[in-house]
Amino acid sequence: MPPRDMRREKNPNLRLHCREIPSERAAAKVRTSSALRLRRAETFLGRDRAEAAFKILNRLKALRRPIPGVDYLRAQCILRMGQHPALAQEALKEELRFFPANADARALLERLPDGAAARLRAGAEFDELYRAVKPYTMLSRARLFSLYKLAKRACAKNLPGNFVECGVAAGGASATLAAVIKKYSRIPRRLYAFDSFEGMPDPSAADRRRGVAANATGWGAGTCAAPQESLREICRRLGVENIVVPVKGQFEKTLPAYRGKVGAIALLHMDADWYASTRTILENFFEQVVHGGLIQVDDYEFWDGCRKAVTEFERHRGLALRFYQIDGIAVWCAKDRRRLVAESVENKRSPTA
């Protein structure tokens, strides 16, 4: 009888086949379990137990596997629990990114009031851009308008460097920044778009909303997900695909690896939510933001961990960044505010950049 190693060499597929069977069984078990939990959530919702259904659905989101109907049911829970309709809209948009054929989700989305259409004097150019990117962004109209104006300002001042976005989701903000580069930049620039494209990572104990743990809010692990194709799609629609450089992966790996490629930064958009992610962005990219460079931090006033990360970074670096409010949630600042002194009075009066 030949030695054991020789028998394995004669059948090289044997070991691979043995590995695949448990893997396939495990995947099938997860799918069965997910389907059972989804039906249980539907039952709870039918019995007017929206909170119980919501907890089950949020645990399914934390699996980071697109499951048909999960976000549609999450939207129904959000509405029945009396939360803001805008949150239900975001859940429905997330459902339709992965499952565009879900007619029930699309119909519900069309019936909801468009709170984002609050009157904001933005001009015809931004209005047209906003209509195009709205299905691809979770940013409020005010936050997106602020980002648009900061990008135009960076181009008008001819600040050197690329634009960087950390936290892309479906790509609407990335496409907006790239559209500004295309029309207004006088120098060649790229937009580096960093995201896992798999939804939010697990939050830490520091990640809370007014004392409530992130996962308990319904917007924890696995939420804010979109396939990378969503970013490519809106960029193609706006003709800016050649400007955007998508970078897929966790920040702690991708940001250090790309520091050299990114180079100088004229504008940094931070939409990472969690404490650890926000610290990772600042530790890797803050020094590369040029003097006069612009930084927008989404969720600064929403997630406790985000604000804590920024505050700690300022203290450790001996900084005193001057932040301007946008919409009660996001803020922006200039790295060297002395270059924006002449504009500070206007900014204090205005809720946007």
Side-chain angles (χ1 to χ4, degrees):
M1 179 178 291
R4 185 182 302 271
D5 290 343
M6 289 180 64
R7 293 202 305 272
R8 188 177 292 122
E9 286 300 320
K10 288 183 178 180
N11 191 0
N13 293 323
L14 178 61
R15 183 165 45 184
L16 178 61
H17 180 66
C18 291
R19 287 178 181 174
E20 286 176 348
I21 291 174
S23 177
E24 290 170 1
R25 287 175 180 168
K29 187 176 180 181
V30 169
R31 286 193 296 270
T32 301
S33 173
S34 298
L36 290 172
R37 284 192 277 178
L38 188 62
R39 285 199 292 272
R40 190 179 178 202
E42 287 178 313
T43 300
F44 278 136
L45 198 54
R47 295 175 180 172
D48 205 21
R49 296 180 60 188
E51 278 132 8
F54 199 49
K55 288 179 181 178
I56 294 172
L57 296 167
N58 292 334
R59 287 196 288 269
L60 287 174
K61 285 293 290 182
L63 297 175
R64 297 185 185 84
R65 297 174 184 224
I67 301 172
V70 167
D71 282 300
Y72 171 59
L73 292 177
R74 271 169 36 87
Q76 293 186 61
C77 291
I78 288 167
L79 294 171
R80 293 195 191 187
M81 291 188 300
Q83 296 185 19
H84 199 286
L87 296 175
Q89 286 179 325
E90 295 307 328
L92 290 167
K93 287 195 288 185
E94 199 155 318
E95 175 78 24
L96 292 168
R97 285 175 200 139
F98 289 99
F99 309 105
N102 189 328
D104 291 335
R106 193 170 298 280
L108 180 56
L109 181 61
E110 291 172 355
R111 290 200 303 271
L112 290 176
D114 187 5
R119 296 296 170 256
L120 177 68
R121 294 180 182 178
E125 181 179 275
F126 176 77
D127 288 344
E128 181 179 357
L129 186 59
Y130 181 70
R131 282 192 294 271
V133 305
K134 182 183 172 185
Y136 300 86
T137 184
M138 296 182 69
L139 267 64
S140 70
R141 182 179 168 88
R143 271 179 274 169
L144 196 68
F145 184 48
S146 168
L147 202 58
Y148 165 82
K149 292 211 299 180
L150 291 177
K152 285 182 66 176
R153 177 174 294 177
C155 293
K157 290 180 174 293
N158 209 28
L159 294 177
N162 292 304
F163 289 4
V164 172
E165 180 172 53
C166 296
V168 175
S174 293
T176 298
L177 292 171
V180 173
I181 290 174
K182 180 180 179 180
K183 184 167 183 178
Y184 292 103
S185 185
R186 289 176 279 167
I187 59 175
R189 301 182 196 270
R190 289 295 182 95
L191 169 72
Y192 286 86
F194 292 87
D195 201 290
S196 70
F197 297 100
E198 296 176 351
M200 297 296 294
D202 293 327
S204 69
D207 298 308
R208 310 178 78 82
R209 163 69 172 163
R210 295 177 179 173
V212 178
N215 280 337
T217 67
W219 293 97
T223 61
C224 307
Q228 192 170 336
E229 177 56 29
S230 178
L231 169 63
R232 294 195 183 99
E233 182 179 286
I234 183 57
C235 288
R236 282 195 298 268
R237 287 186 59 186
L238 297 183
V240 296
E241 199 173 12
N242 63 318
I243 295 173
V244 179
V245 182
V247 184
K248 179 179 170 65
Q250 299 298 323
F251 290 167
E252 62 267 23
K253 294 182 179 179
T254 57
L255 270 56
Y258 269 77
R259 287 178 64 180
K261 295 178 182 178
V262 168
I265 299 173
L267 186 150
L268 174 61
H269 180 215
M270 299 168 52
D271 191 5
D273 294 13
W274 301 159
Y275 170 82
S277 301
T278 302
R279 280 299 298 261
T280 299
I281 297 168
L282 290 168
E283 288 166 359
N284 281 279
F285 285 151
F286 183 80
E287 292 302 326
Q288 293 178 218
V289 177
V290 300
H291 291 297
L294 303 162
I295 303 171
Q296 180 164 317
V297 187
D298 284 299
D299 299 304
Y300 179 84
E301 300 284 5
F302 190 89
W303 292 113
D304 301 344
C306 176
R307 182 164 187 157
K308 179 183 178 183
V310 175
T311 303
E312 285 183 359
F313 183 80
E314 285 185 272
R315 185 172 66 249
H316 293 164
R317 295 296 184 95
L319 302 171
L321 299 174
R322 185 174 185 178
F323 288 107
Y324 297 95
Q325 290 286 338
I326 297 172
D327 62 353
I329 292 178
V331 296
W332 73 272
C333 71
K335 186 174 180 181
D336 184 357
R337 64 176 179 267
R338 289 172 298 178
R339 299 191 181 189
L340 297 177
V341 167
E343 296 157 297
S344 63
V345 175
E346 175 191 348
N347 291 327
K348 287 179 182 177
R349 288 199 297 259
S350 172
T352 60

